[in-house]
Coordinates of all heavy atoms in Angstrom, one line a residue:
A30 N -21.9 14.7 18.7 CA -21.2 13.5 19.2 C -21.2 12.4 18.2 O -22.2 12.2 17.5 CB -21.9 13.0 20.5
V31 N -20.1 11.8 18.1 CA -20.0 10.6 17.1 C -20.0 9.3 17.9 O -19.2 9.2 18.9 CB -18.7 10.7 16.3 CG1 -18.5 9.5 15.3 CG2 -18.6 12.0 15.5
T32 N -20.8 8.4 17.6 CA -20.8 7.1 18.2 C -20.9 6.0 17.1 O -21.9 6.0 16.3 CB -22.0 6.9 19.1 OG1 -22.1 8.0 20.0 CG2 -21.9 5.7 20.0
I33 N -19.9 5.2 17.0 CA -20.0 4.1 16.0 C -19.8 2.8 16.8 O -18.7 2.5 17.3 CB -18.9 4.2 15.0 CG1 -18.9 5.6 14.3 CG2 -19.0 3.1 13.9 CD1 -17.9 5.8 13.2
D34 N -20.9 2.0 17.0 CA -20.8 0.7 17.7 C -20.0 -0.3 16.9 O -19.1 -0.9 17.5 CB -22.2 0.2 18.0 CG -23.0 1.2 18.9 OD1 -22.3 1.9 19.7 OD2 -24.2 1.2 18.9
E35 N -20.4 -0.5 15.7 CA -19.7 -1.4 14.8 C -19.9 -1.0 13.4 O -21.0 -0.7 13.0 CB -20.1 -2.8 15.1 CG -19.3 -3.8 14.2 CD -19.4 -5.2 14.7 OE1 -19.9 -5.5 15.8 OE2 -18.9 -6.1 14.0
W36 N -18.8 -1.0 12.6 CA -18.9 -0.7 11.2 C -17.7 -1.3 10.5 O -16.6 -1.2 11.0 CB -18.9 0.9 11.1 CG -19.1 1.4 9.7 CD1 -19.8 0.8 8.7 CD2 -18.6 2.6 9.1 NE1 -19.7 1.6 7.5 CE2 -19.0 2.7 7.8 CE3 -17.8 3.6 9.6 CZ2 -18.7 3.8 7.0 CZ3 -17.5 4.7 8.8 CH2 -17.9 4.8 7.5
S37 N -17.9 -1.8 9.3 CA -16.8 -2.3 8.6 C -16.9 -2.1 7.1 O -18.0 -1.9 6.6 CB -16.6 -3.8 8.9 OG -17.7 -4.5 8.4
V38 N -15.8 -2.0 6.5 CA -15.7 -1.9 5.0 C -14.8 -3.1 4.6 O -13.7 -3.2 5.1 CB -15.1 -0.5 4.6 CG1 -14.9 -0.6 3.0 CG2 -15.9 0.6 5.0
P39 N -15.4 -4.0 3.7 CA -14.6 -5.1 3.4 C -13.4 -4.8 2.5 O -13.3 -3.7 1.9 CB -15.6 -6.0 2.5 CG -16.6 -5.0 2.1 CD -16.7 -3.9 3.1
A40 N -12.4 -5.7 2.5 CA -11.2 -5.5 1.7 C -11.7 -5.2 0.2 O -12.5 -5.9 -0.3 CB -10.4 -6.7 1.7
G41 N -11.2 -4.1 -0.4 CA -11.5 -3.8 -1.7 C -12.9 -3.2 -1.9 O -13.4 -3.0 -3.0
G42 N -13.7 -3.0 -0.8 CA -15.1 -2.5 -0.9 C -15.1 -1.0 -1.1 O -14.1 -0.3 -1.1
E43 N -16.3 -0.5 -1.5 CA -16.5 0.9 -1.8 C -17.8 1.4 -1.0 O -18.8 0.8 -1.1 CB -16.9 1.1 -3.3 CG -15.8 1.0 -4.2 CD -16.3 1.2 -5.6 OE1 -17.5 1.2 -5.9 OE2 -15.5 1.5 -6.5
V44 N -17.6 2.5 -0.3 CA -18.7 3.0 0.5 C -18.8 4.5 0.3 O -17.7 5.2 0.3 CB -18.6 2.6 2.0 CG1 -19.8 3.3 2.8 CG2 -18.5 1.2 2.2
L45 N -20.0 5.0 0.2 CA -20.2 6.5 0.1 C -20.8 6.9 1.5 O -21.8 6.3 1.9 CB -21.2 6.8 -1.0 CG -21.6 8.3 -1.1 CD1 -20.4 9.1 -1.5 CD2 -22.7 8.5 -2.1
L46 N -20.1 7.8 2.2 CA -20.6 8.4 3.4 C -21.2 9.8 3.1 O -20.5 10.7 2.7 CB -19.4 8.5 4.4 CG -19.7 9.1 5.8 CD1 -20.6 8.1 6.6 CD2 -18.4 9.3 6.6
Q47 N -22.5 9.8 3.3 CA -23.3 11.0 2.8 C -23.8 11.8 4.0 O -24.2 11.3 5.0 CB -24.6 10.5 2.1 CG -24.4 9.8 0.8 CD -25.8 9.4 0.4 OE1 -26.4 8.4 0.8 NE2 -26.4 10.2 -0.5
G48 N -23.8 13.1 3.7 CA -24.4 14.0 4.7 C -24.2 15.5 4.3 O -23.2 15.8 3.6
P49 N -25.1 16.4 4.7 CA -25.0 17.8 4.3 C -23.8 18.4 5.0 O -23.1 17.9 5.9 CB -26.3 18.4 4.8 CG -26.8 17.4 5.8 CD -26.3 16.1 5.5
S50 N -23.5 19.6 4.6 CA -22.4 20.4 5.2 C -22.6 20.5 6.7 O -23.7 20.8 7.1 CB -22.4 21.8 4.5 OG -21.3 22.5 5.1
G51 N -21.5 20.3 7.4 CA -21.6 20.4 8.9 C -22.1 19.2 9.6 O -22.3 19.2 10.8
S52 N -22.4 18.1 8.9 CA -23.0 16.9 9.5 C -22.0 16.1 10.2 O -22.4 15.2 11.0 CB -23.9 16.2 8.5 OG -23.0 15.7 7.5
G53 N -20.7 16.2 9.9 CA -19.7 15.4 10.5 C -18.9 14.5 9.7 O -18.2 13.6 10.2
K54 N -18.9 14.7 8.4 CA -18.2 13.8 7.5 C -16.7 13.9 7.7 O -16.0 12.9 7.9 CB -18.5 14.2 6.0 CG -19.9 14.1 5.6 CD -20.2 14.4 4.2 CE -19.9 15.9 3.8 NZ -20.7 16.9 4.5
S55 N -16.1 15.1 7.7 CA -14.7 15.3 8.0 C -14.3 14.8 9.3 O -13.2 14.1 9.5 CB -14.3 16.7 7.8 OG -14.5 17.1 6.5
T56 N -15.2 15.0 10.3 CA -14.9 14.6 11.7 C -14.7 13.0 11.7 O -13.8 12.5 12.3 CB -16.0 15.0 12.6 OG1 -16.1 16.5 12.6 CG2 -15.7 14.6 14.1
I57 N -15.6 12.3 11.0 CA -15.6 10.9 11.0 C -14.3 10.4 10.3 O -13.6 9.6 10.8 CB -16.8 10.3 10.4 CG1 -18.0 10.5 11.3 CG2 -16.7 8.8 10.1 CD1 -19.4 10.1 10.7
L58 N -14.0 11.0 9.2 CA -12.8 10.5 8.5 C -11.5 10.8 9.3 O -10.6 10.0 9.3 CB -12.6 11.2 7.1 CG -13.5 10.7 6.0 CD1 -13.0 11.0 4.6 CD2 -13.9 9.2 6.1
Q59 N -11.5 11.9 10.0 CA -10.3 12.2 10.8 C -10.2 11.3 12.0 O -9.1 11.0 12.4 CB -10.4 13.7 11.2 CG -10.0 14.7 10.1 CD -10.2 16.1 10.5 OE1 -9.9 16.5 11.6 NE2 -10.7 16.9 9.6
L60 N -11.4 10.9 12.5 CA -11.3 9.8 13.6 C -10.8 8.6 13.1 O -10.0 7.9 13.8 CB -12.7 9.7 14.1 CG -13.3 10.7 15.1 CD1 -14.8 10.5 15.3 CD2 -12.5 10.6 16.4
L61 N -11.3 8.1 11.9 CA -10.8 6.9 11.4 C -9.4 6.9 11.0 O -8.7 5.8 11.1 CB -11.6 6.5 10.1 CG -13.2 6.4 10.2 CD1 -13.8 6.1 8.9 CD2 -13.5 5.4 11.3
A62 N -8.8 8.0 10.6 CA -7.4 8.1 10.3 C -6.6 8.4 11.6 O -5.4 8.5 11.5 CB -7.2 9.3 9.3
G63 N -7.2 8.5 12.7 CA -6.5 8.7 14.0 C -5.8 10.1 14.0 O -4.9 10.4 14.7
L64 N -6.4 11.1 13.2 CA -5.9 12.4 13.3 C -6.6 13.2 14.4 O -6.1 14.2 14.9 CB -6.2 13.1 11.9 CG -5.3 12.6 10.8 CD1 -5.8 13.0 9.4 CD2 -3.8 12.9 10.9
L65 N -7.9 12.8 14.7 CA -8.5 13.3 15.9 C -8.5 12.1 16.9 O -8.7 11.0 16.5 CB -10.0 13.6 15.6 CG -10.4 14.9 15.0 CD1 -11.8 15.0 14.6 CD2 -10.1 16.1 16.0
D66 N -8.4 12.4 18.2 CA -8.3 11.4 19.2 C -9.7 11.0 19.7 O -10.4 11.8 20.3 CB -7.4 11.9 20.4 CG -6.0 11.3 20.2 OD1 -5.9 10.1 19.8 OD2 -5.1 12.1 20.5
A67 N -10.1 9.8 19.4 CA -11.4 9.3 19.9 C -11.3 9.2 21.4 O -10.2 9.0 22.0 CB -11.7 7.9 19.3
K68 N -12.5 9.3 22.1 CA -12.5 9.1 23.5 C -12.3 7.6 23.9 O -11.6 7.3 24.9 CB -13.9 9.5 24.0 CG -13.9 10.7 24.9 CD -15.2 11.0 25.6 CE -16.4 10.9 24.7 NZ -17.6 11.5 25.3
S69 N -12.8 6.8 23.1 CA -12.6 5.3 23.3 C -12.9 4.6 22.0 O -13.4 5.2 21.0 CB -13.6 4.8 24.4 OG -14.9 5.1 23.9
G70 N -12.5 3.3 22.0 CA -12.9 2.5 20.8 C -11.7 2.1 20.0 O -10.5 2.4 20.3

Side-chain angles (χ1 to χ4, degrees):
V31 177
T32 311
I33 305 179
D34 295 333
E35 182 160 351
W36 183 30
S37 63
V38 175
E43 282 181 346
V44 178
L45 176 67
L46 181 66
Q47 292 177 279
S50 180
S52 61
K54 300 180 295 295
S55 297
T56 301
I57 290 173
L58 284 204
Q59 285 173 38
L60 281 169
L61 300 182
L64 292 167
L65 274 174
D66 262 319
K68 248 191 309 197
S69 60

